[in-house]
Amino acid sequence: MSKLKVIPEKSLTNNSRIVGLLAQLEKINAESSESDTARYVTSKILHLVQSQEKTRREMTAKGSTGMEILLSTLENTKDLQTTLNILSILVELVSAGGGRRVSFLVTKGGSQILLQLLMNASKESPPHEELMVQIHSILAKIGPKDKKFGVKARINGALNITLNLVKQNLQNHRLVLPCLQLLRVYSANSVNSVSLGKNGVVELMFKIIGPFSKKNSSLIKVALDTLAALLKSKTNARRAVDRGYVQVLLTIYVDWHRHDNRHRNMLIRKGILQSLKSVTNIKLGRKAFIDANGMKILYNTSQECLAVRTLDPLVNTSSLIMRKCFPKNRLPLPTIKSSFHFQLPVIPMTGPVAQLYSLPPEVDDVVDESDDNDDIDVEAENETENEDDLDQNFKNDDIETDINKLKPQQEPGRTIEDLKMYEHLFPELVDDFQDYDLISKEPKPFVFEGKVRGPIVVPTAGEETSGNSGSLRKVIVKENIPSRGDEGEKKSTFMNLAKEDIKDDRTLQQQPGDQNRTISSVHGLNNDIVKALDRITLQNIPSQTAPGFTAETKKDCSLPLTVLTCAKACPHMAACGNVLFEGRTVQLGKLCCTGVETEDDEDTESNSSVEQASVEVPDGPTLHDPDLYIEIVKNTKSVPEYSEVAYPDYFGHIPPPFKEPILERPYGVQRTKIAQDIERLIHQSDIIDRVVYDLDHPNYTIPEEGDILKFNSKFECGNLRKVIQIRKNEYDLILNSDINSNHYHQWFYFEVSGMRPGVAYRFNIINCEKSNSQFNYGMQPLMYSVQEALNGRPWWIRMGTDICYYKNHFSRSSVAAGGQKGKSYYTITFTVNFPHKDDVCYFAYHYPYTYSTLQMHLQKLESAHNPQQIYFRKDVLCETLSGNTCPLVTITAMPESNYYEHLCQFRNRPYVFLSARVHPGETNASWVMKGTLEYLMSNNPTAQSLRESYIFKIVPMLNPDGVINGNHRCSLSGEDLNRQWQNPNPDLHPTIYHAKGLLQYLAAVKRLPLVYCDYHGHSRKKNVFMYGCSIKETVWHTNDNATSCDVVEDTGYRTLPKILSHIAPAFCMSSCSFVVEKSKESTARVVIWREIGVQRSYTMESTLCGCDQGKYKGLQIGTRELEEMGAKFCVGLLRLKRLTSPLEYNLPSSLLDFENDLIDSSCKVTRNLGSSELQFLPPIL
């Protein structure tokens, strides 16, 4: 403590001296005393300021009057030496103190006083050199901190004073240097820049800068910085072009590049590039750059700089200039409209679709090269990832500030009579269950009795108890699975269901078990069970034969292998080849018919059934049935009338048994790719430019050369429009627009074949539209190898190296883009080394999930559930524009009996309404929904409690047509369906119109859902998170805190996200937002909150990339994690029930914690076990 006392005592003496001197100076000012005294006092103050930091701090401290005294003296004194002393003091104060002291000087009126002093000093002839040096030096320092400095300087006439000083003293480098520094500050104001340009400042700068010289480097550097600032003005840039200065700059740059061998003048070289960057912001500048051979000059010099890491700023700036000057080209397409056409029943009067239909022909061929000063995004290597997307960094002008609009106001919208059309979709509210075989009053305990029910959890990876597997197998092989209705009748009904059928047969799926079920159906189901059991046992039991595994069972287990493996005889092709059914064919590729490349040298036909099982294709999810998938595909209606089935959709996908970390991008990869693109212009003779795939010309003959890859996308969900071979192993890929649209290019799904192993193939998807992507931050595309699948690894894996996403030289007119901001396209580029020769591989933006896959999963769930325990109903919400059915699923627990009390409890359960896949390209939403559906259909105690707590109404795919036809965002109407919820058109947006109608019906009958959640995917953020709706948080973001304090609001909307942040490892609460933006007012989340009155109305966004927090930090997300998120969402609903209804709900929290741990175990799997296989394992309770 004594040490602390010493410092103030010592500083007190020093401070007393400065305080005394300042007081003396103030007295001199007041009395207008002799100048000699003022000169002496200011010299003493200067000495203290130069020698003591404490004095500098004291003079600029808050509350100090030192700065005012100095400025007052400066304003009033006529003595030159006193003026110079004070200017030196000010220079010392601002030089050592950083921005805070400069700002302090500005707030005390320093700018105006110094500018006036400059005016007065300029009247002397000749002006005093030292005085001008000091004034310009300090003005150059304080100018950038004064927002009004440019205006003040212009009004005071300071611009021409400084400019004339430079003109008259070009050889006086000591005076010219601070003058140039101040000219640079003046030029930050566009009006000043134009004014200076008219007075010859651009020409003046070119008298200072020149070829390489070891002298005056600091002067040249400042002159170049000033020139770069001046050339940001279009007027000055045009003047520079007219005088041929673009050629001069390039010549000077080459000279400095050649002679600066030790790279000591990198800042001068960068200054020249910055001037070129400014002048090429205009079209004339870009043309002059091209004419002067600028592309080749900068390309060659930047390539020579690559070896020196410290020269990266030169390489990056050169790259940016070349990309900007690369001539804009239109896409090599006949039209940027979709290559598929679908005639709408009604043409909208307004909006992008109406504009598209009214466009004159060939308008999308126009390339807009208008002058713009929008700098191309600098994807420098030091680019840091910003996890806050535009959705998070809200602009105040997009936030709804009208409290009346924010307050939820339930609006029926449609009459009660009109809403009665939805009564048949809510039979659970009126059914008396007299015809059902219900469980007795006391529910059966959850003890495994050998009956196969739904999956135990989704996804789960708990260890199987080997001791139970034998008895389990015996029991199941002999058991018949309970069914509700004839299997064949269900298939036909499912395939041909129309709206009228639904109205006439409302209880189709509620019928009790049909006693006339055919033996073939039972045998088929038993075979499915045996196949799944065989996989589990073979993988997990060390011995050759499981206990109780009889020879007869072995025989049954080997039966599916003739269907699912690819033997040379290929017997299954007879069932799914070219003559599948009349009028339409569904084809699989040639690889399945020509045999497979096995992993060992043994003859596959001589292998035992155990060995053959290791290459069985659908290794995992029992929800996947290739034969059923083919049957469903036959009735799926696509605009191009697809007749092929992609292998991954036929074989199925299981999560790989290994982690896939977020990819670390190699240093310099992006600029390398950009340089290779620039080489196309410089070395045009090296470019092949051969079309190898083209949807617009289906009869196009592809050259039959061995080293050309073959492409295909003519299957459900496929999207690839055109492929051009650029170099031997490099291909440009162009995606198809959404149907009835000319943009939304992001989703891709295509097939590649004819590859050779050990060759690096580069793929460039050149017409993406989003301004940034997680491909820049560690995300990889997905690849599925048919060869790998046939070798027992049927999974999508993250694949590709040298991945980046950047703006390219392809462009479209703003008219053709529907007036959308941003006219350039972006490239996703990635390089792949294929592991097998002549494989068939598939690439996708994210894990594909087709409409037919959904229908298959729903049908399998329906056929496998226990009707005594689970109330499951699959209805048709409506038909889509192309005639596909939009499924509506109802799931809850069956009542304990048909007694009145049990029926009342059943009917009074609150509703939870879920939807997904309104945007077709967000396939992760379907995988999350799959996890939710499988969990809800499982036989866990907590799943049963969840069913007993809620009635789930689920629309698992809101946009079937968009999904089927490979759209990224729109339906066949060409519109984003998640922007149509305010006023959906029944003819153009039937799924939205009727989904909203269901919610309006529930509101009309006073059964408002407790929770609504719409599952989505997010392309530019990591983790899983939610968007909700809050008046208070929306108002708070407008910075109107007073208004925010007046809002009273129930914060229950935060409960579910908080629960999920605790139980779901992929969920991130900090990424959640509850702000209502104007641009989102027509989304499901906001409309259902505002119009329907559902407080807990959410959008749940799942990343396409991976996680940067929690258990999955640093890992890319997979289907296992996505399905887990869907299951965790269900557990979250159960906890929400416990928190909101503690008196009605008595489930012990320990059971919820157990359930959470059970789901967690799915991520610890180390063996190849599909999530749904676990339905055959005994419960762990």
mmCIF file with all atom_site columns, all heavy atoms in Angstrom, residues 9 58 67 119 136 302 340 356 362 396 479 596 628 663 861 988 1009 1058 1076 1080:
data_model
loop_
_atom_site.group_PDB
_atom_site.id
_atom_site.type_symbol
_atom_site.label_atom_id
_atom_site.label_alt_id
_atom_site.label_comp_id
_atom_site.label_asym_id
_atom_site.label_entity_id
_atom_site.label_seq_id
_atom_site.pdbx_PDB_ins_code
_atom_site.Cartn_x
_atom_site.Cartn_y
_atom_site.Cartn_z
_atom_site.occupancy
_atom_site.B_iso_or_equiv
_atom_site.pdbx_formal_charge
_atom_site.auth_seq_id
_atom_site.auth_comp_id
_atom_site.auth_asym_id
_atom_site.auth_atom_id
_atom_site.pdbx_PDB_model_num
ATOM 1   N N   . GLU A 1 9    ? 2.320   10.935  -5.001  1.00 0.00 ? 9    GLU A N   1
ATOM 2   C CA  . GLU A 1 9    ? 3.097   12.040  -4.460  1.00 0.00 ? 9    GLU A CA  1
ATOM 3   C C   . GLU A 1 9    ? 4.106   12.541  -5.494  1.00 0.00 ? 9    GLU A C   1
ATOM 4   O O   . GLU A 1 9    ? 4.301   13.733  -5.686  1.00 0.00 ? 9    GLU A O   1
ATOM 5   C CB  . GLU A 1 9    ? 3.833   11.582  -3.197  1.00 0.00 ? 9    GLU A CB  1
ATOM 6   C CG  . GLU A 1 9    ? 2.896   11.393  -2.015  1.00 0.00 ? 9    GLU A CG  1
ATOM 7   C CD  . GLU A 1 9    ? 3.640   10.855  -0.802  1.00 0.00 ? 9    GLU A CD  1
ATOM 8   O OE1 . GLU A 1 9    ? 4.869   10.680  -0.906  1.00 0.00 ? 9    GLU A OE1 1
ATOM 9   O OE2 . GLU A 1 9    ? 2.987   10.611  0.215   1.00 0.00 ? 9    GLU A OE2 1
ATOM 10  N N   . GLU A 1 58   ? -2.223  13.519  -18.556 1.00 0.00 ? 58   GLU A N   1
ATOM 11  C CA  . GLU A 1 58   ? -2.888  14.558  -17.765 1.00 0.00 ? 58   GLU A CA  1
ATOM 12  C C   . GLU A 1 58   ? -3.594  15.569  -18.657 1.00 0.00 ? 58   GLU A C   1
ATOM 13  O O   . GLU A 1 58   ? -4.724  15.970  -18.397 1.00 0.00 ? 58   GLU A O   1
ATOM 14  C CB  . GLU A 1 58   ? -1.851  15.261  -16.873 1.00 0.00 ? 58   GLU A CB  1
ATOM 15  C CG  . GLU A 1 58   ? -2.354  16.513  -16.166 1.00 0.00 ? 58   GLU A CG  1
ATOM 16  C CD  . GLU A 1 58   ? -3.323  16.207  -15.050 1.00 0.00 ? 58   GLU A CD  1
ATOM 17  O OE1 . GLU A 1 58   ? -3.395  15.032  -14.619 1.00 0.00 ? 58   GLU A OE1 1
ATOM 18  O OE2 . GLU A 1 58   ? -4.010  17.133  -14.598 1.00 0.00 ? 58   GLU A OE2 1
ATOM 19  N N   . MET A 1 67   ? -6.301  21.057  -23.183 1.00 0.00 ? 67   MET A N   1
ATOM 20  C CA  . MET A 1 67   ? -6.478  21.134  -24.632 1.00 0.00 ? 67   MET A CA  1
ATOM 21  C C   . MET A 1 67   ? -7.180  22.427  -25.027 1.00 0.00 ? 67   MET A C   1
ATOM 22  O O   . MET A 1 67   ? -6.789  23.075  -26.010 1.00 0.00 ? 67   MET A O   1
ATOM 23  C CB  . MET A 1 67   ? -7.274  19.932  -25.117 1.00 0.00 ? 67   MET A CB  1
ATOM 24  C CG  . MET A 1 67   ? -7.218  19.737  -26.619 1.00 0.00 ? 67   MET A CG  1
ATOM 25  S SD  . MET A 1 67   ? -5.585  19.229  -27.186 1.00 0.00 ? 67   MET A SD  1
ATOM 26  C CE  . MET A 1 67   ? -5.599  17.504  -26.751 1.00 0.00 ? 67   MET A CE  1
ATOM 27  N N   . MET A 1 119  ? -5.588  28.560  -43.362 1.00 0.00 ? 119  MET A N   1
ATOM 28  C CA  . MET A 1 119  ? -6.021  29.654  -44.235 1.00 0.00 ? 119  MET A CA  1
ATOM 29  C C   . MET A 1 119  ? -5.184  30.907  -43.984 1.00 0.00 ? 119  MET A C   1
ATOM 30  O O   . MET A 1 119  ? -4.713  31.561  -44.919 1.00 0.00 ? 119  MET A O   1
ATOM 31  C CB  . MET A 1 119  ? -7.492  29.955  -43.993 1.00 0.00 ? 119  MET A CB  1
ATOM 32  C CG  . MET A 1 119  ? -8.455  28.944  -44.583 1.00 0.00 ? 119  MET A CG  1
ATOM 33  S SD  . MET A 1 119  ? -8.447  28.986  -46.386 1.00 0.00 ? 119  MET A SD  1
ATOM 34  C CE  . MET A 1 119  ? -8.988  30.665  -46.693 1.00 0.00 ? 119  MET A CE  1
ATOM 35  N N   . HIS A 1 136  ? -0.157  20.622  -41.683 1.00 0.00 ? 136  HIS A N   1
ATOM 36  C CA  . HIS A 1 136  ? -0.600  19.501  -42.514 1.00 0.00 ? 136  HIS A CA  1
ATOM 37  C C   . HIS A 1 136  ? -0.403  18.168  -41.805 1.00 0.00 ? 136  HIS A C   1
ATOM 38  O O   . HIS A 1 136  ? -1.234  17.256  -41.947 1.00 0.00 ? 136  HIS A O   1
ATOM 39  C CB  . HIS A 1 136  ? 0.153   19.516  -43.855 1.00 0.00 ? 136  HIS A CB  1
ATOM 40  C CG  . HIS A 1 136  ? -0.396  20.494  -44.832 1.00 0.00 ? 136  HIS A CG  1
ATOM 41  N ND1 . HIS A 1 136  ? -0.029  21.830  -44.849 1.00 0.00 ? 136  HIS A ND1 1
ATOM 42  C CD2 . HIS A 1 136  ? -1.310  20.363  -45.833 1.00 0.00 ? 136  HIS A CD2 1
ATOM 43  C CE1 . HIS A 1 136  ? -0.674  22.460  -45.808 1.00 0.00 ? 136  HIS A CE1 1
ATOM 44  N NE2 . HIS A 1 136  ? -1.462  21.589  -46.432 1.00 0.00 ? 136  HIS A NE2 1
ATOM 45  N N   . SER A 1 302  ? 1.808   -12.441 -60.097 1.00 0.00 ? 302  SER A N   1
ATOM 46  C CA  . SER A 1 302  ? 1.275   -13.058 -58.873 1.00 0.00 ? 302  SER A CA  1
ATOM 47  C C   . SER A 1 302  ? 1.761   -14.493 -58.723 1.00 0.00 ? 302  SER A C   1
ATOM 48  O O   . SER A 1 302  ? 2.023   -14.947 -57.605 1.00 0.00 ? 302  SER A O   1
ATOM 49  C CB  . SER A 1 302  ? -0.254  -13.008 -58.869 1.00 0.00 ? 302  SER A CB  1
ATOM 50  O OG  . SER A 1 302  ? -0.788  -13.740 -59.955 1.00 0.00 ? 302  SER A OG  1
ATOM 51  N N   . PHE A 1 340  ? -37.095 -27.828 -67.710 1.00 0.00 ? 340  PHE A N   1
ATOM 52  C CA  . PHE A 1 340  ? -38.383 -28.521 -67.638 1.00 0.00 ? 340  PHE A CA  1
ATOM 53  C C   . PHE A 1 340  ? -39.503 -27.484 -67.577 1.00 0.00 ? 340  PHE A C   1
ATOM 54  O O   . PHE A 1 340  ? -39.366 -26.448 -66.927 1.00 0.00 ? 340  PHE A O   1
ATOM 55  C CB  . PHE A 1 340  ? -38.467 -29.412 -66.395 1.00 0.00 ? 340  PHE A CB  1
ATOM 56  C CG  . PHE A 1 340  ? -37.372 -30.434 -66.305 1.00 0.00 ? 340  PHE A CG  1
ATOM 57  C CD1 . PHE A 1 340  ? -36.717 -30.683 -65.107 1.00 0.00 ? 340  PHE A CD1 1
ATOM 58  C CD2 . PHE A 1 340  ? -36.976 -31.153 -67.420 1.00 0.00 ? 340  PHE A CD2 1
ATOM 59  C CE1 . PHE A 1 340  ? -35.705 -31.607 -65.026 1.00 0.00 ? 340  PHE A CE1 1
ATOM 60  C CE2 . PHE A 1 340  ? -35.960 -32.093 -67.347 1.00 0.00 ? 340  PHE A CE2 1
ATOM 61  C CZ  . PHE A 1 340  ? -35.321 -32.320 -66.151 1.00 0.00 ? 340  PHE A CZ  1
ATOM 62  N N   . LEU A 1 356  ? -41.713 -13.725 -64.778 1.00 0.00 ? 356  LEU A N   1
ATOM 63  C CA  . LEU A 1 356  ? -41.036 -14.705 -65.630 1.00 0.00 ? 356  LEU A CA  1
ATOM 64  C C   . LEU A 1 356  ? -41.839 -14.961 -66.899 1.00 0.00 ? 356  LEU A C   1
ATOM 65  O O   . LEU A 1 356  ? -41.284 -15.032 -67.997 1.00 0.00 ? 356  LEU A O   1
ATOM 66  C CB  . LEU A 1 356  ? -40.836 -16.007 -64.848 1.00 0.00 ? 356  LEU A CB  1
ATOM 67  C CG  . LEU A 1 356  ? -40.070 -17.110 -65.567 1.00 0.00 ? 356  LEU A CG  1
ATOM 68  C CD1 . LEU A 1 356  ? -38.589 -16.753 -65.665 1.00 0.00 ? 356  LEU A CD1 1
ATOM 69  C CD2 . LEU A 1 356  ? -40.235 -18.440 -64.842 1.00 0.00 ? 356  LEU A CD2 1
ATOM 70  N N   . GLU A 1 362  ? -35.237 -14.209 -74.818 1.00 0.00 ? 362  GLU A N   1
ATOM 71  C CA  . GLU A 1 362  ? -33.794 -13.970 -74.786 1.00 0.00 ? 362  GLU A CA  1
ATOM 72  C C   . GLU A 1 362  ? -33.356 -12.914 -73.786 1.00 0.00 ? 362  GLU A C   1
ATOM 73  O O   . GLU A 1 362  ? -32.207 -12.486 -73.800 1.00 0.00 ? 362  GLU A O   1
ATOM 74  C CB  . GLU A 1 362  ? -33.269 -13.562 -76.189 1.00 0.00 ? 362  GLU A CB  1
ATOM 75  C CG  . GLU A 1 362  ? -33.627 -14.525 -77.303 1.00 0.00 ? 362  GLU A CG  1
ATOM 76  C CD  . GLU A 1 362  ? -33.105 -15.927 -77.030 1.00 0.00 ? 362  GLU A CD  1
ATOM 77  O OE1 . GLU A 1 362  ? -31.993 -16.065 -76.518 1.00 0.00 ? 362  GLU A OE1 1
ATOM 78  O OE2 . GLU A 1 362  ? -33.844 -16.885 -77.323 1.00 0.00 ? 362  GLU A OE2 1
ATOM 79  N N   . ASN A 1 396  ? -32.199 -3.032  -38.661 1.00 0.00 ? 396  ASN A N   1
ATOM 80  C CA  . ASN A 1 396  ? -33.376 -2.438  -38.045 1.00 0.00 ? 396  ASN A CA  1
ATOM 81  C C   . ASN A 1 396  ? -34.512 -2.233  -39.032 1.00 0.00 ? 396  ASN A C   1
ATOM 82  O O   . ASN A 1 396  ? -35.679 -2.286  -38.662 1.00 0.00 ? 396  ASN A O   1
ATOM 83  C CB  . ASN A 1 396  ? -33.003 -1.108  -37.391 1.00 0.00 ? 396  ASN A CB  1
ATOM 84  C CG  . ASN A 1 396  ? -32.306 -1.321  -36.056 1.00 0.00 ? 396  ASN A CG  1
ATOM 85  O OD1 . ASN A 1 396  ? -32.336 -2.421  -35.521 1.00 0.00 ? 396  ASN A OD1 1
ATOM 86  N ND2 . ASN A 1 396  ? -31.685 -0.283  -35.534 1.00 0.00 ? 396  ASN A ND2 1
ATOM 87  N N   . GLU A 1 479  ? -43.424 -65.838 -34.954 1.00 0.00 ? 479  GLU A N   1
ATOM 88  C CA  . GLU A 1 479  ? -44.515 -64.922 -34.658 1.00 0.00 ? 479  GLU A CA  1
ATOM 89  C C   . GLU A 1 479  ? -45.069 -64.290 -35.922 1.00 0.00 ? 479  GLU A C   1
ATOM 90  O O   . GLU A 1 479  ? -44.352 -64.085 -36.905 1.00 0.00 ? 479  GLU A O   1
ATOM 91  C CB  . GLU A 1 479  ? -44.012 -63.798 -33.739 1.00 0.00 ? 479  GLU A CB  1
ATOM 92  C CG  . GLU A 1 479  ? -43.998 -64.157 -32.258 1.00 0.00 ? 479  GLU A CG  1
ATOM 93  C CD  . GLU A 1 479  ? -45.381 -64.166 -31.678 1.00 0.00 ? 479  GLU A CD  1
ATOM 94  O OE1 . GLU A 1 479  ? -46.233 -63.406 -32.165 1.00 0.00 ? 479  GLU A OE1 1
ATOM 95  O OE2 . GLU A 1 479  ? -45.621 -64.954 -30.769 1.00 0.00 ? 479  GLU A OE2 1
ATOM 96  N N   . VAL A 1 596  ? -19.484 -57.502 -59.619 1.00 0.00 ? 596  VAL A N   1
ATOM 97  C CA  . VAL A 1 596  ? -18.877 -56.520 -58.742 1.00 0.00 ? 596  VAL A CA  1
ATOM 98  C C   . VAL A 1 596  ? -17.428 -56.851 -58.524 1.00 0.00 ? 596  VAL A C   1
ATOM 99  O O   . VAL A 1 596  ? -16.982 -57.968 -58.700 1.00 0.00 ? 596  VAL A O   1
ATOM 100 C CB  . VAL A 1 596  ? -19.604 -56.472 -57.376 1.00 0.00 ? 596  VAL A CB  1
ATOM 101 C CG1 . VAL A 1 596  ? -21.028 -56.095 -57.553 1.00 0.00 ? 596  VAL A CG1 1
ATOM 102 C CG2 . VAL A 1 596  ? -19.490 -57.807 -56.651 1.00 0.00 ? 596  VAL A CG2 1
ATOM 103 N N   . LEU A 1 628  ? -40.170 -52.653 -52.341 1.00 0.00 ? 628  LEU A N   1
ATOM 104 C CA  . LEU A 1 628  ? -41.268 -51.728 -52.070 1.00 0.00 ? 628  LEU A CA  1
ATOM 105 C C   . LEU A 1 628  ? -40.964 -50.362 -52.661 1.00 0.00 ? 628  LEU A C   1
ATOM 106 O O   . LEU A 1 628  ? -41.858 -49.696 -53.198 1.00 0.00 ? 628  LEU A O   1
ATOM 107 C CB  . LEU A 1 628  ? -41.488 -51.622 -50.554 1.00 0.00 ? 628  LEU A CB  1
ATOM 108 C CG  . LEU A 1 628  ? -42.563 -50.616 -50.096 1.00 0.00 ? 628  LEU A CG  1
ATOM 109 C CD1 . LEU A 1 628  ? -43.919 -50.964 -50.704 1.00 0.00 ? 628  LEU A CD1 1
ATOM 110 C CD2 . LEU A 1 628  ? -42.646 -50.597 -48.575 1.00 0.00 ? 628  LEU A CD2 1
ATOM 111 N N   . LEU A 1 663  ? -13.668 -30.383 -42.509 1.00 0.00 ? 663  LEU A N   1
ATOM 112 C CA  . LEU A 1 663  ? -12.447 -30.351 -43.303 1.00 0.00 ? 663  LEU A CA  1
ATOM 113 C C   . LEU A 1 663  ? -11.676 -29.051 -43.065 1.00 0.00 ? 663  LEU A C   1
ATOM 114 O O   . LEU A 1 663  ? -12.255 -27.963 -43.051 1.00 0.00 ? 663  LEU A O   1
ATOM 115 C CB  . LEU A 1 663  ? -12.794 -30.474 -44.791 1.00 0.00 ? 663  LEU A CB  1
ATOM 116 C CG  . LEU A 1 663  ? -11.631 -30.714 -45.758 1.00 0.00 ? 663  LEU A CG  1
ATOM 117 C CD1 . LEU A 1 663  ? -11.061 -32.108 -45.553 1.00 0.00 ? 663  LEU A CD1 1
ATOM 118 C CD2 . LEU A 1 663  ? -12.110 -30.543 -47.189 1.00 0.00 ? 663  LEU A CD2 1
ATOM 119 N N   . LEU A 1 861  ? -43.565 -48.184 -41.470 1.00 0.00 ? 861  LEU A N   1
ATOM 120 C CA  . LEU A 1 861  ? -43.955 -47.863 -40.095 1.00 0.00 ? 861  LEU A CA  1
ATOM 121 C C   . LEU A 1 861  ? -45.373 -48.317 -39.814 1.00 0.00 ? 861  LEU A C   1
ATOM 122 O O   . LEU A 1 861  ? -45.687 -48.858 -38.747 1.00 0.00 ? 861  LEU A O   1
ATOM 123 C CB  . LEU A 1 861  ? -43.833 -46.348 -39.852 1.00 0.00 ? 861  LEU A CB  1
ATOM 124 C CG  . LEU A 1 861  ? -42.426 -45.785 -39.695 1.00 0.00 ? 861  LEU A CG  1
ATOM 125 C CD1 . LEU A 1 861  ? -42.474 -44.263 -39.685 1.00 0.00 ? 861  LEU A CD1 1
ATOM 126 C CD2 . LEU A 1 861  ? -41.768 -46.293 -38.419 1.00 0.00 ? 861  LEU A CD2 1
ATOM 127 N N   . LEU A 1 988  ? -52.525 -22.971 -56.568 1.00 0.00 ? 988  LEU A N   1
ATOM 128 C CA  . LEU A 1 988  ? -51.076 -22.907 -56.763 1.00 0.00 ? 988  LEU A CA  1
ATOM 129 C C   . LEU A 1 988  ? -50.290 -23.448 -55.582 1.00 0.00 ? 988  LEU A C   1
ATOM 130 O O   . LEU A 1 988  ? -49.174 -23.935 -55.742 1.00 0.00 ? 988  LEU A O   1
ATOM 131 C CB  . LEU A 1 988  ? -50.646 -21.451 -57.025 1.00 0.00 ? 988  LEU A CB  1
ATOM 132 C CG  . LEU A 1 988  ? -51.140 -20.827 -58.327 1.00 0.00 ? 988  LEU A CG  1
ATOM 133 C CD1 . LEU A 1 988  ? -50.739 -19.359 -58.400 1.00 0.00 ? 988  LEU A CD1 1
ATOM 134 C CD2 . LEU A 1 988  ? -50.573 -21.576 -59.526 1.00 0.00 ? 988  LEU A CD2 1
ATOM 135 N N   . PRO A 1 1009 ? -52.948 -26.016 -31.163 1.00 0.00 ? 1009 PRO A N   1
ATOM 136 C CA  . PRO A 1 1009 ? -51.758 -26.828 -30.831 1.00 0.00 ? 1009 PRO A CA  1
ATOM 137 C C   . PRO A 1 1009 ? -50.909 -26.161 -29.753 1.00 0.00 ? 1009 PRO A C   1
ATOM 138 O O   . PRO A 1 1009 ? -50.777 -24.932 -29.717 1.00 0.00 ? 1009 PRO A O   1
ATOM 139 C CB  . PRO A 1 1009 ? -50.996 -26.903 -32.156 1.00 0.00 ? 1009 PRO A CB  1
ATOM 140 C CG  . PRO A 1 1009 ? -52.005 -26.620 -33.213 1.00 0.00 ? 1009 PRO A CG  1
ATOM 141 C CD  . PRO A 1 1009 ? -52.984 -25.675 -32.600 1.00 0.00 ? 1009 PRO A CD  1
ATOM 142 N N   . LYS A 1 1058 ? -34.684 -24.054 -24.693 1.00 0.00 ? 1058 LYS A N   1
ATOM 143 C CA  . LYS A 1 1058 ? -33.773 -24.229 -23.555 1.00 0.00 ? 1058 LYS A CA  1
ATOM 144 C C   . LYS A 1 1058 ? -33.653 -25.708 -23.188 1.00 0.00 ? 1058 LYS A C   1
ATOM 145 O O   . LYS A 1 1058 ? -32.564 -26.202 -22.873 1.00 0.00 ? 1058 LYS A O   1
ATOM 146 C CB  . LYS A 1 1058 ? -34.260 -23.412 -22.355 1.00 0.00 ? 1058 LYS A CB  1
ATOM 147 C CG  . LYS A 1 1058 ? -33.980 -21.924 -22.473 1.00 0.00 ? 1058 LYS A CG  1
ATOM 148 C CD  . LYS A 1 1058 ? -34.430 -21.175 -21.224 1.00 0.00 ? 1058 LYS A CD  1
ATOM 149 C CE  . LYS A 1 1058 ? -34.096 -19.694 -21.324 1.00 0.00 ? 1058 LYS A CE  1
ATOM 150 N NZ  . LYS A 1 1058 ? -34.577 -18.940 -20.134 1.00 0.00 ? 1058 LYS A NZ  1
ATOM 151 N N   . VAL A 1 1076 ? -39.032 -11.080 -34.973 1.00 0.00 ? 1076 VAL A N   1
ATOM 152 C CA  . VAL A 1 1076 ? -39.933 -11.165 -36.128 1.00 0.00 ? 1076 VAL A CA  1
ATOM 153 C C   . VAL A 1 1076 ? -39.505 -10.111 -37.143 1.00 0.00 ? 1076 VAL A C   1
ATOM 154 O O   . VAL A 1 1076 ? -39.599 -8.918  -36.886 1.00 0.00 ? 1076 VAL A O   1
ATOM 155 C CB  . VAL A 1 1076 ? -41.402 -10.939 -35.706 1.00 0.00 ? 1076 VAL A CB  1
ATOM 156 C CG1 . VAL A 1 1076 ? -42.320 -10.999 -36.920 1.00 0.00 ? 1076 VAL A CG1 1
ATOM 157 C CG2 . VAL A 1 1076 ? -41.814 -11.957 -34.656 1.00 0.00 ? 1076 VAL A CG2 1
ATOM 158 N N   . LYS A 1 1080 ? -39.968 -12.042 -43.057 1.00 0.00 ? 1080 LYS A N   1
ATOM 159 C CA  . LYS A 1 1080 ? -40.406 -13.381 -42.675 1.00 0.00 ? 1080 LYS A CA  1
ATOM 160 C C   . LYS A 1 1080 ? -41.877 -13.415 -42.254 1.00 0.00 ? 1080 LYS A C   1
ATOM 161 O O   . LYS A 1 1080 ? -42.330 -14.408 -41.695 1.00 0.00 ? 1080 LYS A O   1
ATOM 162 C CB  . LYS A 1 1080 ? -39.534 -13.904 -41.522 1.00 0.00 ? 1080 LYS A CB  1
ATOM 163 C CG  . LYS A 1 1080 ? -38.037 -13.907 -41.801 1.00 0.00 ? 1080 LYS A CG  1
ATOM 164 C CD  . LYS A 1 1080 ? -37.665 -14.899 -42.883 1.00 0.00 ? 1080 LYS A CD  1
ATOM 165 C CE  . LYS A 1 1080 ? -36.171 -14.884 -43.180 1.00 0.00 ? 1080 LYS A CE  1
ATOM 166 N NZ  . LYS A 1 1080 ? -35.347 -15.363 -42.088 1.00 0.00 ? 1080 LYS A NZ  1
#
